[in-house]
Amino acid sequence: MPILLGIDPGSRITGYALLEYQLKPFRLRYVASGCIQTLDSVFSKRLQVIFRELCLLVDQYNPQQVAIEQVFMATNPASALKLGHARGAAMVAASKNDAEVFEYSARQVKLAVVGYGAANKQQMQIMMQRLLQLPSLPASDAADALGIAWCHAHHQRNPLTRKVK
């Protein structure tokens, strides 16, 4: 079964998730998830950590598709810009083995996972634990990454929504 990498980018914490999926018959299987924490105060070093750690995951699991959350316009433009840089580092690392990269808004992801586009972090964690039958709640950023991967798999399943690149 192909591997899908979901990424919830952040300049301090980047969540990642790996799922195996099959479209016919539709199946999803949890592979791994976690968080990349960037502790350095120098922003360029944090971007290096995101890039390096995601490259290691791509080399280890060789995902065929990558789903990443789109940048939302925050109230603080400087924060949105930093998030955009982190997202760029993640996208380059994730696509290094020529994987296709797809983008989803936070609202699309929450709607696909919880059924409510303004769901909170705890709702995402609980739903991802239930949907993937995980033994415990995933970390918040890992749950978001799992949700992004889940959303993508379900969009791929429905031919009417596949044009989300």
Side-chain angles (χ1 to χ4, degrees):
M1 289 197 296
I3 301 267
L4 166 62
L5 171 61
I7 302 172
D8 177 36
S11 64
R12 298 246 178 229
I13 300 174
T14 291
Y16 68 87
L18 293 135
L19 299 176
E20 279 186 334
Y21 70 101
Q22 178 177 306
L23 294 178
K24 292 184 183 181
F26 186 74
R27 280 189 243 169
L28 282 174
R29 188 181 74 80
Y30 175 85
V31 175
S33 64
C35 297
I36 299 167
Q37 296 194 19
T38 59
L39 303 175
D40 205 302
S41 61
V42 178
F43 186 65
S44 62
K45 298 287 186 195
R46 294 196 318 248
L47 295 177
Q48 285 177 352
V49 170
I50 294 166
F51 178 79
R52 183 181 61 241
E53 294 299 315
L54 283 174
C55 281
L56 290 173
L57 287 168
V58 168
D59 288 341
Q60 181 178 355
Y61 293 101
N62 193 31
Q64 288 72 46
Q65 294 185 335
V66 177
I68 189 166
E69 189 173 274
Q70 292 174 338
V71 173
F72 61 92
M73 191 54 188
T75 54
N76 182 345
S79 295
L81 190 58
K82 284 183 180 181
L83 177 59
H85 289 312
R87 190 172 170 275
M91 286 178 80
V92 172
S95 64
K96 76 177 240 168
N97 288 356
D98 294 325
E100 289 182 274
V101 178
F102 298 82
E103 302 172 64
Y104 297 91
S105 70
R107 186 167 188 75
Q108 282 177 295
V109 172
K110 292 172 181 182
L111 196 57
V113 173
V114 180
Y116 175 57
N120 65 37
K121 294 241 179 221
Q122 186 178 19
Q123 289 170 310
M124 287 292 291
Q125 288 174 286
I126 291 167
M127 284 305 295
M128 291 319 309
Q129 180 187 19
R130 287 182 182 163
L131 291 169
L132 295 171
Q133 300 174 350
L134 303 175
S136 61
L137 284 179
S140 176
D141 295 289
D144 288 345
L146 285 164
I148 293 161
W150 177 273
C151 175
H152 175 70
H154 282 274
H155 273 82
Q156 291 299 295
R157 181 179 181 191
N158 181 349
L160 297 176
T161 60
R162 283 192 192 162
K163 298 176 184 172
V164 178
K165 283 187 180 182

